[in-house]
């Protein structure tokens, strides 16, 4: 049994002043039948002797919300009006009941002790922007999205259809620009995405622009300040937010302070802006200064220096005040935590709804405690999706266990906004990783899209995935294909339908998650997104559950999905939102005849006669 | 098997720019025979494809440093010159070898994955002040320590020998003051303590002064600004640092802003300084504003308000610049983390060596990540000491397990400075908790003192414990007894000897810890403090190990302590620093004839002929 009174295990819900604390408990799989949390205030008015062990007089049940290979996870919420909380768990394994507290498990409550959350308002709270919870993001690599203005094309711009040369890609240009993004706003709007993340747009010599020359100037081959204002206007008018890319770990070699150092060496007044071991600066390997990776043209910035800090925070303030809705922060894990805390404070002062997401590829706890980022790019999600959908590296049970352990690792507000990618400009496209014949690859990619767009968190679509880019091995940064004859239109329609399902109010945004089926033999995995009431999530959407069936198999199978945990009444008709086929609930099951690589997203249509019965059953 | 790439499990050692990372691994007890960490850089100069799984080419062994009931703990240190670290563990259970990484345990290294510490310099570092590591602290409750100036006694001051009236103690005065502390500097110096913590000294109507009226004025019954300056001078001249008490969770009812609120109600410009639900303010229960506990005369401050924040940070800056060496922060767990981060920054700017310790009674991880406090008052330590030494609630094995789990819960720099109390002004005195006849109570108290003063961390002596206050049931805040006829002089001599042993260089300050013996039948527990080389602690003191034998029994036993783990040569003569008796090492053991409640602190005297052999053995 495991619990800690902080982090993902105990977190306040709602705004400052709320009295709710959600608690999570992990137990050995199958060990516990029932768990309750008993709680009370940390002080009592009548008692003046401190500290004193107070009785725990109120209780709330915990639900088993997930299981992985070794563990069951239980969740519940307590509401302590004084906001100064003591609590312990009462464990019931079917034979006997024991208390569990910071001093371990014991027959006697006193012996187990009581966990404390000293004051709910003093506890770190994840104030993630509401708009980002469960929102659909779309990543644009501007140089390769759309060339909207040929006049700003750099010298030697290649034809849009020219194949990628991976080794020289950073110095090859196709002419994509901000005008192109503006022109394609209708595509984004009709797709239904709620936010775009633009990889860097500031002056830089490369095609990727992760080597900034000037943090305050839009790269002229992308447009100018006015173009950017127009882009913000147009996208905002389409209810699409704009997140830009902040590259603060390092600059480019043309960044004026670094040029000054190259020119004046030790006498440069900017020498402390970088980490330089000795002079003169040597850009070729082995460099005598710190770089991003081992790239001599990307000198690492000294973000501990107060001048550098002020400079970069000014940049952040400037663009935030200009109207951007958030920042994606490059190589965030190589920059100090105190810089990110100051960064959050600066950006949130300029825009209290700004969204902050860090590039951290691995376990990211130290950045996700509420004081730095709202989210990270959830690459472990990508790895899990690749292993299951693209490559059959593991079956449904292992897939579910990986998802569970990751989800239980973060508090709800973080899970709500983790940016879930299937790929990015830094990885192969998901479709190119899919194994097998063409039809199988396409089936796998479509299944993964259904999963990405129904799973908790903020799906991050990499430009082009929605029209099948990558299915025939296209390079990651290949220019977008705009001629409809070159687009996989059924796939695009699938994306549109799925994204439309996430429109509020939808349990797909912040609803709960219950695994329904993990069938190794048929490669089938099914889960439900559930309304708030069932798991007592402060922000969960109301409404009706959504069932997702994913059939990762080239064969056909008749799949019976147990829906008992959802209390759906017999006879209720579920509709597959992808095909409009209907399926009745019979004896606590829904049976779907799954073709190869088929997915079903089963919803209760508003006109369903049994709808009110379901609402009564699930909202109680 | 458990490991995380942060916190107590992986922490950088040494100052910014160092390449050392200490890693800790937990395994099921008895499962693993050998563990090594394999590591390498996160990037390689020749590779441009990112991300890529690099081979791990270097390795370092891990030592088993501790065990608790369920777990073995292993520690080791790696040194990666690029400071961008990837690593995985190679586990050997005597039959087969497996890799362990973020993706679990596996035969193949690739399958286990590799942990990452993205950049050692970007990782939170615990920059605790060197002077505080392992230093002996002494807590003074000024109103009850010494009355050095009768002229400032409050009206109705009681005779020094008057018994305590617990129910009215907050409004009863004995006349203790800062002049008294100055006068008793020789006692502190001869005792050997390195720092004192003064409970609050600012203007306040109560005897405990945790209800501040003016944060910038020394309470006149304690002295004035000049007296405080003199106190700082005198103690500093005696190499004794001064830590003062910051009460920032709440003020007292006489605090001018609160008086203004009481007077002007809703129209007060200070109404946002507190948490007031409605007007007029009601001080009697139930209050309509937030308080400390349920005390209407201690209104909780709104530390999220920027004006309040600036005011309190100014107070902190003011006294830090006046020369105090640190702050003990009252009710720290009910104040927001962001306030403490700003507090740390403010105080450290004023004095880079200031020590910050929070009052957090329970598990304190969220405050001990390097960004807020250096330490907390380690009340769990007190609870463990009470359970074993005062009350026989558990035996040596459980005692050791509790110590181990707590020690393995924090990174070394935190363990080095955790303030380890046996009691405080908020608890009964340790001696009054000791059970049994007078001689047994004294034996228990003395054993606990030996333990407190030889265990890792910063021992915190509560005034009077050193002369036996509490042994005959004295109240916690009873005035100190200064007449030597009323002091337990042998106990005082014991304290002096033990404190002297901690003088640098001594392994007792920051050396390692190895359990040597846990004998349930005789109630005996023995451990060694070990030189740095054995556990690769950056800051560990060199020199020779110290062995501590604690015999918690009213009987006499012949105890054989195995010393094989320390590589002490046969024939080496160890000296008990408490009695000057000598004991030879024979066949990997030291045998001590332990009388009732006896402790032995065995050291290698500098003149010992085998000393150089030991040094060669342990420093290698």
């Amino acid at each position: 049994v495991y619990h800690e009174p902080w982090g993902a295990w105990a977190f306040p819900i709602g705004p400052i002043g709320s009295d709710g604390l959600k608690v999570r408990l992990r137990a050995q799989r199958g060990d516990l039948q029932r768990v309750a949390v008993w709680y009370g205030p940390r002080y009592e008015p009548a008692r003046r002797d401190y500290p004193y062990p107070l009785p725990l007089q109120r209780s709330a049940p915990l639900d088993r919300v997930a299981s992985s290979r070794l563990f069951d996870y239980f969740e519940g919420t307590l509401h302590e009006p004084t906001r100064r909380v003591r609590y312990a768990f009462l464990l019931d394994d079917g034979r006997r009941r024991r208390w569990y507290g910071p001093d371990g498990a014991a027959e006697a409550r006193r012996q187990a002790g009581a966990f404390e959350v000293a004051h709910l308002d003093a506890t770190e709270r994840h104030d993630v922007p509401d708009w980002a919870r469960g929102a659909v993001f779309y990543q644009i690599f501007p140089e390769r999205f759309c060339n909207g203005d040929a006049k700003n094309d750099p010298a030697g711009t290649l034809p849009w259809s020219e194949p990628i040369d991976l080794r020289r890609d950073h110095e090859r240009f196709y002419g994509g620009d901000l005008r192109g993004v503006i022109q394609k706003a209708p595509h984004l709007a009709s797709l239904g995405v709620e936010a775009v993340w633009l990889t860097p747009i500031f002056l830089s010599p490369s095609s990727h622009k992760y080597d900034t020359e000037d943090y305050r100037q839009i790269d002229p081959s992308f447009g100018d300040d006015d173009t950017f204002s127009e882009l913000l206007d147009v996208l905002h008018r389409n209810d699409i937010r704009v997140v830009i890319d902040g590259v603060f770990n390092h600059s480019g070699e043309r960044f004026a302070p670094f040029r000054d150092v190259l020119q004046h060496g030790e006498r440069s007044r900017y020498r402390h802006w970088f980490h330089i071991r000795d002079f003169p600066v040597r850009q070729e390997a082995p460099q005598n200064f710190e770089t991003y990776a081992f790239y001599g043209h990307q000198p690492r910035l000294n973000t501990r220096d107060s001048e550098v800090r002020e400079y970069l925070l000014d940049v952040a303030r400037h663009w935030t005040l200009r109207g951007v809705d958030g920042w994606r922060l490059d190589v965030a894990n190589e920059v100090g935590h105190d810089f990110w805390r100051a960064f959050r404070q600066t950006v949130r002062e300029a825009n209290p709804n700004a969204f902050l997401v860090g590039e951290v590829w691995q376990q990211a706890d130290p950045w996700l405690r509420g004081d730095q980022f709202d989210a990270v790019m959830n690459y472990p999600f990508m790895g899990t999706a690749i292993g299951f959908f693209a490559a059959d590296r593991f079956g449904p049970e292992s897939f579910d266990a990986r998802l569970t352990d990751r989800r239980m690792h973060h508090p709800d507000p973080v899970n709500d906004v983790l940016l879930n990618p299937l790929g990015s400009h830094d990885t192969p496209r998901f479709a190119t990783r899919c194994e097998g014949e063409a039809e199988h690859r396409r089936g796998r990619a479509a299944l993964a899209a259904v999963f990405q767009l129904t799973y908790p968190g903020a799906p991050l679509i990499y430009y082009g995935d929605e029209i099948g880019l990558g299915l025939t091995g296209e390079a990651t940064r290949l220019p977008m294909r705009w001629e409809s004859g070159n687009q996989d239109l059924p796939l695009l329609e699938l994306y549109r339908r799925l994204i439309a399902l996430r429109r509020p109010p939808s349990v797909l945004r912040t609803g709960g998650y219950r695994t329904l089926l993990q069938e190794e033999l048929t490669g089938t995995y099914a889960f439900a997104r559930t309304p708030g009431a069932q798991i007592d999530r402060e922000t969960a959407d109301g409404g009706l559950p959504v069932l997702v069936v994913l059939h990762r198999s080239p064969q056909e199978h008749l799949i019976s999905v147990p829906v008992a945990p959802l209390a759906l009444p017999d006879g209720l008709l579920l509709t597959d939102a992808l095909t409009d086929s209907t399926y009745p609930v019979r004896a606590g099951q829904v049976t779907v005849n799954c073709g190869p690589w088929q997915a079903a997203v089963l919803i209760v249509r508003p006109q369903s006669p049994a709808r009110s019965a379901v609402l009564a059953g699930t909202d109680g």
Side-chain angles (χ1 to χ4, degrees), chain A:
Chain A
V1 185
Y2 189 74
H3 175 79
E4 288 178 330
W6 54 72
W9 304 96
F11 50 91
I13 53 180
I16 286 272
S18 311
D19 67 358
L21 179 73
K22 182 156 175 184
V23 292
R24 199 174 269 169
L25 182 108
R26 196 181 75 186
Q28 204 170 317
R29 185 160 183 166
D31 254 17
L32 299 180
Q33 293 200 351
R34 267 190 307 279
V35 180
V37 58
W38 283 80
Y39 63 97
R42 288 176 54 242
Y43 306 105
E44 263 192 4
R47 307 280 298 265
R48 293 187 71 93
D49 46 329
Y50 175 79
Y52 40 73
L54 292 172
L56 306 176
Q57 286 159 327
R58 304 170 69 191
S59 77
L62 269 65
D63 284 350
R64 187 171 64 213
V65 295
S67 300
S68 63
R69 203 165 56 89
L70 299 171
F71 305 116
D72 287 331
Y73 292 92
F74 297 84
E75 287 183 356
T77 302
L78 57 85
H79 294 273
E80 166 52 45
T82 65
R83 286 172 288 154
R84 296 182 286 213
V85 194
R86 284 164 62 86
Y87 61 98
F89 298 95
L90 186 58
L91 316 177
D92 186 342
D93 65 3
R95 294 184 311 280
R96 59 178 182 152
R97 305 204 299 179
R98 307 193 79 194
W99 289 97
Y100 172 69
D103 300 330
E107 301 285 328
R109 222 273 293 149
R110 288 283 167 93
Q111 212 181 318
F115 293 106
E116 289 200 355
V117 170
H119 197 302
L120 289 177
D121 290 355
T123 305
E124 204 77 74
R125 211 171 272 263
H126 292 80
D127 60 334
V128 304
D130 276 336
W131 67 263
R133 293 181 196 252
V136 180
F137 282 70
Y138 186 89
Q139 179 186 352
I140 292 177
F141 190 87
E143 224 283 311
R144 308 291 158 80
F145 188 62
C146 175
N147 186 349
D149 181 358
K151 292 196 299 300
N152 62 21
D153 287 0
T157 290
L158 303 162
W160 199 251
S161 58
E162 182 79 10
I164 293 286
D165 176 353
L166 275 181
R167 298 168 57 92
R168 292 175 48 227
D169 190 61
H170 62 285
E171 57 187 23
R172 282 159 55 95
F173 299 89
Y174 289 82
D177 50 27
L178 300 188
R179 175 65 54 201
V181 177
I182 294 167
Q183 288 176 0
K184 295 304 180 185
H187 172 75
L188 302 172
S190 84
L191 187 57
V193 302
E194 298 163 77
V196 296
W197 151 35
L198 303 172
T199 60
I201 56 175
F202 306 134
L203 181 63
S204 142
S206 66
S207 63
H208 55 66
K209 312 229 172 290
Y210 282 101
D211 48 349
T212 315
E213 175 173 344
D214 185 344
Y215 288 93
R216 287 175 174 266
Q217 191 189 337
I218 302 290
D219 192 286
S221 74
F222 280 4
D224 59 18
D225 237 39
D226 291 339
T227 332
F228 186 59
S229 292
E230 197 180 330
L231 181 149
L232 288 173
D233 283 351
V234 169
L235 292 189
H236 284 166
R237 259 187 279 123
N238 282 282
D239 289 327
I240 297 171
R241 316 242 174 184
V242 180
V243 170
I244 62 173
D245 208 315
V247 189
F248 300 128
N249 173 67
H250 54 268
S251 71
E253 64 189 336
R254 296 192 191 174
F255 183 46
F258 192 69
R259 281 211 313 264
D260 194 88
V261 169
L262 288 178
Q263 196 180 341
H264 299 108
E266 266 179 293
R267 286 168 300 107
S268 167
R269 74 168 231 70
Y270 295 101
R271 54 174 292 184
H272 61 286
W273 280 48
F274 305 92
H275 301 273
I276 300 167
R277 282 191 293 277
D278 44 65
F279 291 89
V281 166
R282 191 173 56 242
Q283 282 194 271
E284 59 279 15
Q287 295 93 9
N288 57 356
F289 62 99
E290 285 196 41
T291 58
Y292 165 63
F294 288 93
Y295 302 144
H297 65 290
Q298 288 172 306
R300 184 165 177 252
L301 287 159
N302 180 6
T303 48
R304 284 196 309 278
D305 182 89
S306 58
E307 207 177 53
V308 176
R309 235 171 147 103
E310 266 325 298
Y311 176 85
L312 296 177
L313 294 179
D314 267 349
V315 166
R317 194 179 294 114
H318 171 76
W319 291 108
T320 308
L321 290 172
R322 277 290 304 278
V324 307
D325 301 289
W327 291 83
R328 177 269 188 189
L329 298 155
D330 190 56
V331 197
N333 55 357
E334 298 190 29
V335 181
H337 295 291
D338 51 343
F339 179 79
W340 293 130
R341 287 190 194 106
F343 189 87
R344 180 182 190 83
Q345 206 170 344
T346 301
V347 169
R348 282 294 177 88
E349 269 168 23
N351 175 3
N353 288 310
F355 180 57
L356 297 172
V357 54
E359 184 197 22
V360 181
W361 287 64
Q362 291 218 339
Q363 296 152 295
D365 298 36
W367 295 270
L368 291 176
R369 295 195 170 120
D371 56 336
Q372 298 165 64
F373 306 138
D374 298 309
V376 292
M377 293 179 63
N378 192 3
Y379 278 111
F381 169 94
M382 179 184 84
T384 301
I386 291 167
F388 183 65
F389 294 108
D392 293 2
R393 252 175 244 151
F394 41 78
E397 284 178 25
S398 179
F399 179 61
D400 184 66
R402 283 160 201 253
L403 295 174
T404 295
D405 284 336
R406 171 76 24 195
R407 214 165 56 245
M408 293 294 116
H409 198 72
H410 297 294
D412 291 355
V414 172
N415 281 329
D416 287 348
V417 294
L418 279 179
L419 226 47
N420 293 336
L422 291 176
S424 76
H425 66 295
D426 276 332
T427 73
R429 284 184 179 275
F430 185 85
T432 64
R433 302 193 193 248
C434 289
E435 297 182 352
E437 308 288 307
E439 68 194 297
H440 295 179
R441 289 203 303 274
R442 193 180 174 288
R444 293 174 180 278
L447 268 188
V450 174
F451 172 68
Q452 180 191 32
L453 288 160
T454 51
Y455 193 74
L460 173 63
I461 300 168
Y462 184 52
Y463 83 91
D465 279 5
E466 77 277 23
I467 52 120
L469 225 53
L471 278 172
T472 46
E474 290 87 347
T476 294
R477 299 183 187 178
L478 191 74
M480 177 69 172
R481 289 205 186 115
W482 290 110
E483 327 75 52
S484 59
N486 269 332
Q487 297 183 331
D488 185 328
L489 295 178
L491 188 65
L492 181 57
E493 177 57 19
L494 175 70
Y495 269 89
R496 284 202 182 110
R497 282 196 174 219
L498 288 163
I499 293 168
L501 283 175
R502 290 186 85 96
R503 288 258 160 237
S506 164
V507 294
L508 295 183
R509 289 186 90 77
T510 63
Y513 190 91
R514 294 293 170 110
T515 303
L516 298 177
L517 182 77
Q518 315 161 55
E519 213 172 74
E520 296 296 303
L521 214 59
T522 62
T524 312
Y525 180 72
F527 63 91
R529 299 298 307 279
T530 57
Q534 290 193 334
I535 60 159
D536 201 350
R537 289 164 77 107
E538 176 79 8
T539 58
D541 302 301
L544 295 155
V546 170
L547 280 66
V548 180
V549 184
L550 302 166
H551 181 238
R552 189 208 56 180
S553 165
Q555 298 173 291
E556 185 167 328
H557 294 105
L558 201 64
I559 303 295
S560 288
V561 180
V563 296
L566 305 175
L568 299 181
D570 250 39
L572 177 70
L573 220 54
L574 300 176
T575 306
D576 182 355
L578 306 180
T579 62
D580 297 321
S581 311
T582 57
Y583 301 88
V585 175
R586 289 234 171 80
Q589 293 193 324
V590 174
T591 302
V592 182
N593 188 17
C594 286
W597 316 111
Q598 191 173 326
V601 178
L602 305 177
I603 61 172
V604 183
R605 282 260 188 254
Q607 61 272 33
S608 165
R611 186 173 189 268
S612 53
V614 180
L615 277 171
T618 57
D619 277 5

